[in-house]
Amino acid sequence: MTKKERAHAVTELLKTVYPDAVCALHYTHDYELLFATRLSAQCTDARVNIVTATLFHQFPTLESFAQASEEDIAEVIKTCGLFRTKARDLKACAIMLLIEFGGNVPDNMADLLRLPGVGRKTANVIQSVVFNKAAMAVDTHVFRVSHRIGLVDDTHTTPFSVEKELVKYIPKKLIPIAHHWLILHGRYICQARTPKCDNCGLQLMCKYFQEAKIK
């Protein structure tokens, strides 16, 4: 089976297992997803959603973020971890979006990476979820599951390397949703310490499972 054939077979299975997959972060405006994704670093999506329910109520516009003190923002997000750094980034990002982008979230990697606190993973989330581009955000779940299933091999040791491999072989139209499929699979089934292989719908395609059976 070629890499392209494997990627196609895996995504078809994931489509069946997770037919209702959507972005787990709650947001109304594009910049809210940007901010929520920044908050999700070293924090669960569930915790971020709890925090942003208060955060976006207390600061309902980009202008309110730009005008707020870092201390006031930090107080709301302190349960997210690294809250002082994240508060600084949210305020600075709001200011840049207002001054340089007319209050709009940019739709391309180069401009997104200019925003304070935005790395490649966050930029890919925005491109994929907001603009439906064929961008693959590689977090710890995507990285782990991609290796275990066999979508990438052990030579791909960085998130960027994994991203390039996944984008190369996963059907382009499925890339935006495949990101969510892989995250859900890693979160609920293919967990880091105790993967639930007996409940996995990808056993026949999974290299990790097949190798475990041989052992």
Side-chain angles (χ1 to χ4, degrees), residues 6-146:
R6 172 173 286 274
H8 178 76
V10 167
T11 51
E12 286 300 308
L13 285 171
L14 288 170
K15 182 193 302 184
T16 302
V17 177
Y18 305 104
D20 302 317
V22 294
C23 179
L25 295 171
H26 299 166
Y27 69 100
T28 300
H29 306 291
D30 294 349
Y31 76 84
E32 291 180 346
L33 177 60
L34 181 69
F35 288 3
T37 306
R38 176 66 185 98
L39 293 177
S40 70
Q42 298 186 30
C43 185
T44 66
D45 289 351
R47 168 54 55 183
V48 171
N49 287 335
I50 291 171
V51 169
T52 54
T54 300
L55 181 69
F56 296 151
H57 176 75
Q58 188 163 332
F59 305 104
T61 63
L62 271 177
E63 288 79 5
S64 61
F65 274 101
Q67 294 165 6
S69 68
E70 292 180 18
E71 291 75 16
D72 286 344
I73 297 173
E75 180 63 25
V76 181
I77 66 172
K78 61 185 178 182
T79 60
C80 281
L82 303 174
F83 63 94
R84 291 187 179 86
T85 299
K86 292 176 180 179
R88 179 196 65 202
D89 289 342
L90 296 193
K91 178 178 173 66
C93 189
I95 292 172
M96 181 178 284
L97 287 173
L98 288 167
I99 293 175
E100 297 195 29
F101 298 100
N104 298 310
V105 175
D107 65 354
N108 63 88
M109 178 65 74
D111 284 336
L112 284 165
L113 290 179
R114 291 178 55 215
L115 298 172
V118 174
R120 189 171 185 88
K121 185 193 79 172
T122 298
N124 276 330
V125 169
I126 297 303
Q127 290 190 106
S128 173
V129 177
V130 175
F131 300 106
N132 199 36
K133 291 188 175 183
M136 175 61 71
V138 178
D139 66 358
T140 56
H141 293 307
V142 173
F143 189 88
R144 178 178 68 257
V145 172
S146 297

Side-chain angles (χ1 to χ4, degrees), residues 158-173:
T158 67
F160 183 46
S161 176
V162 170
E163 175 194 330
K164 290 193 296 183
E165 192 77 352
L166 294 178
V167 169
K168 187 187 303 182
Y169 294 110
I170 292 176
K172 185 175 182 179
K173 67 179 181 179

